[in-house]
C-alpha cells in the first residue's frame, strides 16, 4: 500500500455509521465479506464498531446482534491491506475496550466528543497513542459551535496528541459555505490533518465534502451505498467517481468500489437511503436524531407541530442529555399559541 | 399569487420527469391529489406530461397508463393558483398537441432539444408564443457542448421568442464548477431568464442547483421526494429548506411541501430514489440512460465491461439515435484488449 499515491485518505464508515441504519444487526459473515471487498478495492481505512462506537451495544443505544469484538476480529483478518479503525466515544467506550481492539489488530482509534467538549477526549487520545494506534479526534455536531470555538476545541485535541482532527456534520445541517469557512479556519490554526464527515439530510453531503477538500481537508469519511445514520453520509463510490473526474487520487479502484456497493452492501439495506421528511427536519433544525421521537410525543401532548419544537431546540442549541428541554419547549410553544 | 415575493421560480417536475420513475403509470386520481397539494404548498409551476413530453406515450418511449391530456386536465382543475406546464420535444410532441394542451388550460410550454440542436425548436417556440403560452427553451445533455456552443444555442432559443432558457444536466454529469461557468456565460450573453435542471447521478444535484442560483439562474426545476428519471432530480422539499436557510424566497411553504413529499408522493415510489451503480455509471460517463441496456448486451457479446463501453461513448460524445455506435465501440474495445 505504501506505493499508492493518495491525495485524500478515505475512511469507510458503513460498518460503523451504517450500523445505525440496520439497527446494529451486522453478522460476522456480512462484515467479513464487506471488509474483504473493501480491502480489495483499496480503501485505506475501514471503521468497524457499534454505531455509537465501542461499548455502544446497550439498551440505551441499541443492542448489537454480534459482539463487536468478533466483528472487529473478522474485519481485521479479512481486510488485507486496509486498516481497521474503531470509534470511541468517551463515556460510552472505555480504554479497556480500546486496548482489546488494539490487541485484535485495530490500527486506528477515532475518539469523538461533542464539539464543545474536547476536554473529555484527553485520556482516550493519549491512551490510544500509547497503544501505538493512529489517533483521530472528532468534533461532533460541529454546526453547533461558532468557528472560533471549533478551532479552539480542535487545538485541544491536537494538544492531546491526535494525528488528525475531523469536523463532523453529524446532523447534516451545514451548508457548503459554512463548511468552507470552518475547514479554512481549522487549516489555518491546526497543524495536523483536517478531516470532514458529512451527512446527507439536506442533500449536501457531496457538496460539503468537495468544499472541505477544496479548503484543504485531507481525510474524508464516506459510507458506501450511503449506508449511514439518518439520510446517510457522503456516498463513497459516488465520491470516488467525482474525485476521479477532478483528478484527486484516493488509491481506490472505481469499478471495484462500485461493485462492492451494488453487490455486497445494497443487499444489506433494510430501508432505502432516501431523504425522508424526518431526516430533512433534523438537518434543517440541526438537532440530534434522538430528539425526534421525544418531539413527536410532545407534539401530540401539546398540540404543537413537532417541527416547530425541533427548530426551536436547534435555535437554543440544546444538546444530547437535555431531552427534558423538549417538553419545556413544547409547552412554551403551546402557550405562545394560546397567548 | 401576484403578491408573493419569489427570488427563484420553481417548476415541480415529478409529474413529468417522475413519470419515468414509475413507468408512466400516473392515474387521474394521483395527479389530481398531487397537483392540489402542490398548489396549496405554493408551487408556481407544475409540469405534467409523459416523461418524454407530449406525445411520448409510444412503444418506443413507454406507453402511459392514462392519456396525458386527461392527466393535464385533472392537474389544471386541481392545482389552484399553480400553473400547469407541459414538456414538448420537437420530433415527439406536435404543435397540435401543444394547442390541445393550451385549450385545456396549460399556461407554459417547455420546448426541449439536444444541446446542439436548438434549431429544431424554432417552430414549437414560436407557436407556443402565438398560443399565448409562457415559453421556455431547454438545452438537454448540456454537458456535451463546450460553453461557447451552449451560449450560441441558448441565444437561438431566445431569438425564437423563448421567455427563458434552461440548461439541463440530463445525465447528472456536471460538477459544480462546470455549472457555475456555464450559467455565468449564459447570464452574460442571454437577455432572458436562465434556468437549471439537475439530476442526482453524482450526488451533486443540490450542489449544482446552488451553484446555478449563485450565478444568477432564476428558474429551477425540482422533483419532490426526488421522483425523477435515473437518480432523480434536485429534491424539491430539500431545496426549499436549503433556500430558506439562505434567505432565498420561493413562495413555497416549507412544512406543506415536506408533507406533500411524505404523504402524497412517497407512496407512489416504485423503486427507492437511490444512487445505484447503473445511475452512477451513467452520470460518470455522461451518456443517455437509453445506452445502458445496449451497453450491457454488447458487454456480454464482446466480453468487455459495460462501463468501459459507456465511458468511451461519453468520450466520443455519442448522442441518442446513434445506438449502432455502441456495438462498434464494444467491438473495438474487445479488439484492443486482444491486441
Amino acid at each position: 500500500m505504501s506505493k499508492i499515491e493518495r491525495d485524500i485518505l478515505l475512511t469507510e464508515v458503513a460498518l460503523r455509521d451504517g450500523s445505525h441504519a440496520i439497527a446494529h444487526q451486522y453478522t460476522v459473515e456480512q462484515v467479513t465479506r464487506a471488509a474483504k471487498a473493501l480491502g480489495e478495492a483499496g480503501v485505506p481505512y475501514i471503521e468497524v464498531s457499534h454505531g455509537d462506537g465501542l461499548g455502544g451495544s446497550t439498551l440505551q443505544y441499541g443492542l448489537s446482534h454480534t459482539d463487536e469484538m468478533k466483528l472487529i476480529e473478522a474485519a481485521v483478518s479479512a481486510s488485507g491491506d486496509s486498516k481497521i479503525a474503531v470509534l470511541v466515544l468517551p463515556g460510552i467506550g472505555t480504554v479497556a475496550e480500546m486496548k482489546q481492539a488494539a490487541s485484535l489488530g485495530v490500527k486506528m482509534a477515532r475518539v469523538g466528543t461533542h464539539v464543545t467538549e474536547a476536554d473529555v477526549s484527553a485520556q482516550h487520545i493519549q491512551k490510544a497513542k500509547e497503544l501505538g494506534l493512529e489517533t483521530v479526534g472528532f468534533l461532533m455536531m460541529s454546526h453547533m459551535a461558532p468557528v472560533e470555538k471549533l478551532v479552539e476545541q480542535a487545538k485541544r485535541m491536537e494538544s492531546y496528541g491526535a494525528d488528525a482532527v475531523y469536523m463532523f456534520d453529524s446532523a447534516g445541517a451545514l451548508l457548503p459555505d459554512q463548511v468552507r469557512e470552518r475547514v479554512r479556519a481549522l487549516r489555518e490554526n491546526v497543524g495536523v490533518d483536517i478531516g470532514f464527515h458529512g451527512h446527507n439530510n439536506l442533500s449536501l453531503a457531496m457538496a460539503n465534502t468537495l468544499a472541505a477538500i477544496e479548503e484543504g481537508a485531507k481525510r474524508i469519511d464516506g459510507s458506501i451505498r450511503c449506508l449511514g445514520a439518518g439520510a446517510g453520509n457522503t456516498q463513497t463510490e459516488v465520491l470516488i467517481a467525482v474525485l476521479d473526474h477532478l483528478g484527486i487520487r484516493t488509491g481506490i479502484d472505481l469499478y471495484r468500489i462500485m461493485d462492492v456497493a451494488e453487490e455486497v452492501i445494497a443487499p444489506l439495506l433494510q430501508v432505502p437511503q432516501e431523504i425522508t421528511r424526518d431526516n430533512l427536519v433534523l438537518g434543517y433544525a440541526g438537532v440530534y436524531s434522538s430528539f425526534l421521537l421525544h418531539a413527536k410525543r410532545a407534539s401530540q401532548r401539546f398540540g404543537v407541530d413537532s417541527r416547530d419544537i425541533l427548530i426551536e431546540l436547534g435555535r437554543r442549541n440544546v444538546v444530547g442529555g437535555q431531552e427534558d428541554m423538549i417538553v419545556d419547549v413544547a409547552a412554551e410553544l403551546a402557550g405562545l399559541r394560546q397567548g
Side-chain angles (χ1 to χ4, degrees), chain A:
Chain A
M1 200 164 79
S2 58
K3 286 179 200 159
I4 297 171
E5 301 277 355
R6 303 182 192 272
D7 302 309
I8 295 293
L9 272 179
L10 186 118
T11 300
E12 171 55 50
V13 302
L15 299 182
R16 196 280 302 165
D17 211 326
S19 185
H20 288 297
I22 63 162
H24 315 291
Q25 295 302 297
Y26 276 122
T27 65
V28 165
E29 292 69 30
Q30 289 169 345
V31 167
T32 298
R33 188 159 180 237
K36 181 168 185 293
L38 290 165
E40 288 168 357
V43 171
Y45 296 100
I46 305 167
E47 190 179 46
V48 181
S49 325
H50 182 278
D52 295 289
L54 294 182
S57 178
T58 57
L59 282 175
Q60 188 180 355
Y61 298 110
L63 290 169
S64 298
H65 173 279
T66 304
D67 180 329
E68 67 191 333
M69 293 300 170
K70 288 205 168 59
L71 299 180
I72 288 167
E73 203 171 7
V76 168
S77 66
S79 61
D81 288 337
S82 297
K83 293 174 181 165
I84 302 303
V86 291
L87 176 67
V88 196
L89 304 181
I92 302 177
T94 63
V95 169
E97 286 161 326
M98 216 161 55
K99 268 189 193 163
Q100 192 186 348
S103 75
L104 295 175
V106 160
K107 299 295 181 200
M108 181 192 276
R110 313 214 305 167
V111 181
T113 75
H114 183 69
V115 62
T116 55
E117 295 171 9
D119 282 358
V120 304
S121 70
Q123 190 202 13
H124 286 73
I125 290 177
Q126 287 155 6
K127 290 288 179 186
K129 291 298 293 178
E130 286 170 29
L131 289 166
L133 298 173
E134 188 171 357
T135 305
V136 172
F138 286 170
L139 294 165
M140 302 188 291
M141 298 294 276
S142 62
H143 72 284
M144 291 183 74
V147 179
E148 307 70 39
K149 184 76 178 175
L150 175 69
V151 167
E152 175 218 300
Q153 297 288 302
K155 286 164 73 90
R156 290 193 193 194
M157 285 183 161
E158 182 183 26
S159 76
Y160 307 145
D163 300 302
V165 180
Y166 267 69
M167 57 178 274
F168 265 42
D169 181 19
S170 314
L174 287 171
L175 305 180
D177 284 347
Q178 295 173 319
V179 171
R180 208 175 278 286
E181 181 189 13
R182 283 167 160 72
V183 172
R184 188 180 302 157
L186 289 169
R187 283 275 293 160
E188 284 168 359
N189 293 285
V190 178
V192 296
D193 272 2
I194 302 303
F196 178 73
H197 170 109
H199 278 272
N200 204 37
N201 299 58
L202 295 180
S203 199
L204 286 167
M206 188 65 63
N208 287 341
T209 298
L210 296 185
I213 290 172
E214 277 176 29
E215 293 297 333
K218 292 292 178 206
R219 303 195 184 209
I220 295 293
D221 285 1
S223 71
I224 189 161
R225 203 46 165 71
C226 212
L227 188 62
N233 304 80
T234 310
Q235 193 167 336
T236 302
E237 71 279 18
V238 183
L239 176 65
I240 302 309
V242 170
L243 294 182
D244 185 85
H245 273 325
L246 293 168
I248 295 170
R249 296 166 304 178
T250 61
I252 297 171
D253 186 278
L254 177 59
Y255 285 6
R256 284 196 179 195
I257 198 79
M258 285 179 177
D259 291 340
V260 182
E262 194 77 11
E263 292 162 15
V264 180
I265 304 298
L268 303 179
L269 290 177
Q270 294 177 348
V271 288
Q273 291 299 93
E274 299 171 314
I275 306 177
T276 60
R277 177 170 54 187
D278 284 346
N279 288 328
L280 172 55
V281 171
L282 291 170
Y284 178 76
V287 294
Y288 291 78
S289 55
S290 60
F291 287 4
L292 187 64
L293 194 58
H294 295 283
K296 286 188 175 178
R297 281 193 196 129
S299 162
Q300 292 199 319
R301 184 168 154 202
F302 293 97
V304 180
D305 193 312
S306 62
R307 293 172 287 203
D308 288 331
I309 301 170
L310 292 167
I311 290 166
E312 185 58 28
L313 292 166
R315 276 200 198 108
R316 297 189 189 183
N317 261 1
V318 174
V319 299
Q322 297 182 303
E323 279 77 3
D324 51 326
M325 289 283 293
I326 297 173
V327 169
D328 296 347
V329 164
E332 204 176 308
L333 289 173
L336 286 177
R337 287 233 172 140
Q338 290 156 10

